[in-house]
Amino acid sequence: MKILQEFLKIPSLSDKELHGTEFRCSYIATAATQWFLGLSKDIIDEPEKNCTGELAQFGTSTYLEISKVSQAFNSMTRDCPTECCCWYSQMTYSKEKEDFIYRVEVNCSHKNLTAIPIQKFPNYVSVLDISHNNIKSLRTIKENPHKFENLLVLLANNNNLQSIKDLEASKFGKQFAAVSLTSNSISINEDLMKFVTTRRKSNRYGSEIWLSNNKIEPCTCHMAQEIRPWLWNNSHSIKDHRGIYCLNNTKHVKMLFLYEESICKKEQNGISQFPWDGFIIFLSLLIALCLSIFFYDFWVYKKTSQLPWIVLKLSK
């Protein structure tokens, strides 16, 4: 990098001054170096002018044409959505495919988006940040698998997501290394529990997920019996498992410490008492009805001296 910094100080360069200079391909894939190489376009176009890159296999070095590396960089820049920023995180060359394999990071955070801008999107996206937007669904990832086939990390914090069904049905959902969904409106239900557990068992990358500060629901016996042990069993995957809460009256309670002895006992008491409450209400209404009939018949007798019809019927 020192060589690059020295060159950037030079106001103009000639082919002779650059002759014999060895470039690393990772430097070629930067905007600063593209500007620098633009000072000597003939050098870029020389087929024999190479840079040192990493092979996809075994991490060994090889020589690649600067012009091809430059083309790959320009392709990424061209396909980057206008709302986002894109940059390379890694570039390798596959002898088997005879082509570049590179990883692109895309940052679309804080853009007031309602959907992922898929009209233009670079290939080989490995990291996507769509945090702090107004996105309600991740359907775009499910419906465009070719665009996200290399996606490993998704940051979707502080949106309006309510479900992970789209992730569950996507290719990304089967291969992700990390996904952060904090500060949304997602409920911890059977679908989410199945999704996390299945990925933990099958994903070779060792999936990590963040779920804190989502929809806070009233504490239930089901949470104590099912969700609490599930959180403990998946604590290595759910990195913020200690920050997931439910609401007990007006108090926020960590689900990890929601015990059956307290919450389930209250529910059982409420259920066992409910039939008695109904029976008491029924008896009260029946007594009120009988008293109403009695006073009505008494009023009729005082006014007409006529006995109630039921008495006349029984006396015959």
Side-chain angles (χ1 to χ4, degrees):
M1 198 66 184
K2 289 182 179 179
I3 296 175
L4 175 58
Q5 291 171 347
E6 291 299 321
F7 275 130
L8 291 177
K9 297 177 183 178
I10 302 174
S12 61
L13 296 168
S14 65
D15 295 352
K16 291 182 180 179
E17 288 172 313
L18 287 175
H19 183 71
T21 303
E22 184 176 289
F23 298 94
R24 288 191 60 80
C25 295
S26 57
Y27 295 165
I28 304 301
T30 65
T33 315
Q34 287 292 308
W35 169 84
F36 159 67
L37 292 173
L39 296 176
S40 184
K41 188 176 182 299
D42 293 337
I43 294 296
I44 302 177
D45 293 336
E46 288 181 18
E48 65 274 10
K49 189 61 182 176
N50 299 321
C51 61
T52 306
E54 299 294 323
L55 282 175
Q57 297 86 2
F58 311 115
T60 55
S61 296
T62 187
Y63 286 97
L64 310 175
E65 293 180 21
I66 287 180
S67 57
K68 289 185 177 179
V69 179
S70 179
Q71 288 171 9
F73 172 84
N74 291 332
S75 173
M76 180 204 70
T77 304
R78 182 185 64 247
D79 295 335
C80 186
T82 54
E83 303 91 339
C84 311
C85 298
C86 306
W87 62 89
Y88 284 111
S89 59
Q90 181 185 7
M91 176 183 284
T92 57
Y93 185 80
S94 172
K95 280 186 174 180
E96 181 182 351
K97 294 183 178 181
E98 296 184 349
D99 197 4
F100 291 100
I101 298 176
Y102 48 91
R103 299 282 181 260
V104 178
E105 296 185 16
V106 179
N107 189 332
C108 305
S109 63
H110 297 88
K111 298 298 181 180
N112 209 25
L113 300 174
T114 56
I116 300 173
I118 198 63
Q119 293 79 9
K120 285 200 317 177
F121 219 74
N123 296 320
Y124 306 108
V125 175
S126 62
V127 179
L128 175 61
D129 187 354
I130 53 172
S131 300
H132 297 274
N133 284 296
N134 297 310
I135 296 173
K136 296 182 179 180
S137 169
L138 297 173
R139 191 181 300 113
T140 304
I141 294 178
K142 180 184 71 173
E143 295 177 350
N144 298 273
H146 61 289
K147 288 289 186 180
F148 300 99
E149 61 181 350
N150 296 290
L151 184 61
L152 296 177
V153 178
L154 174 66
L155 307 176
N157 308 316
N158 292 90
N159 279 284
N160 294 316
L161 301 173
Q162 299 180 354
S163 171
I164 51 89
K165 287 185 177 180
D166 291 325
L167 283 187
E168 189 177 8
S170 68
K171 182 178 179 181
F172 168 74
K174 297 176 175 61
Q175 69 181 23
F176 73 88
V179 58
S180 186
L181 302 170
T182 66
S183 302
N184 282 283
S185 300
I186 300 172
S187 299
I188 297 182
N189 52 31
E190 298 297 329
D191 291 334
L192 178 61
M193 293 167 67
K194 182 181 177 182
F195 172 72
V196 174
T197 303
T198 304
R199 298 293 85 78
R200 175 177 60 84
K201 293 179 178 179
S202 63
N203 199 328
R204 63 189 177 91
Y205 292 103
S207 305
E208 298 179 351
I209 188 167
W210 285 260
L211 294 169
S212 63
N213 201 26
N214 267 283
K215 189 175 182 180
I216 300 178
E217 299 177 302
C219 300
T220 63
C221 188
H222 169 73
M223 290 179 180
Q225 293 177 336
E226 302 293 335
I227 297 180
R228 176 180 168 272
W230 171 78
L231 282 173
W232 280 112
N233 292 335
N234 291 276
S235 58
H236 290 296
S237 298
I238 305 172
K239 295 301 181 180
D240 55 353
H241 58 279
R242 295 182 179 275
I244 298 175
Y245 293 83
C246 64
L247 194 63
N248 188 10
N249 295 325
T250 57
K251 184 180 179 182
H252 287 71
V253 179
K254 289 186 177 182
M255 284 195 192
L256 281 178
F257 306 107
L258 185 66
Y259 297 103
E260 296 181 44
E261 293 78 7
S262 57
I263 194 71
C264 295
K265 187 176 180 181
K266 289 181 181 178
E267 287 190 10
Q268 289 168 0
N269 290 340
I271 293 171
S272 61
Q273 191 176 348
F274 175 76
W276 289 107
D277 291 342
F279 182 67
I280 292 170
I281 293 171
F282 172 75
L283 282 179
S284 301
L285 292 173
L286 186 61
I287 291 170
L289 178 63
C290 292
L291 288 173
S292 299
I293 294 173
F294 172 78
F295 283 113
Y296 174 76
D297 289 342
F298 180 76
W299 176 78
V300 171
Y301 175 75
K302 290 289 286 183
K303 195 167 186 179
T304 64
S305 298
Q306 184 178 354
L307 292 171
W309 69 270
I310 186 96
V311 175
L312 294 173
K313 188 106 174 160
L314 291 173
S315 63
K316 287 181 180 181

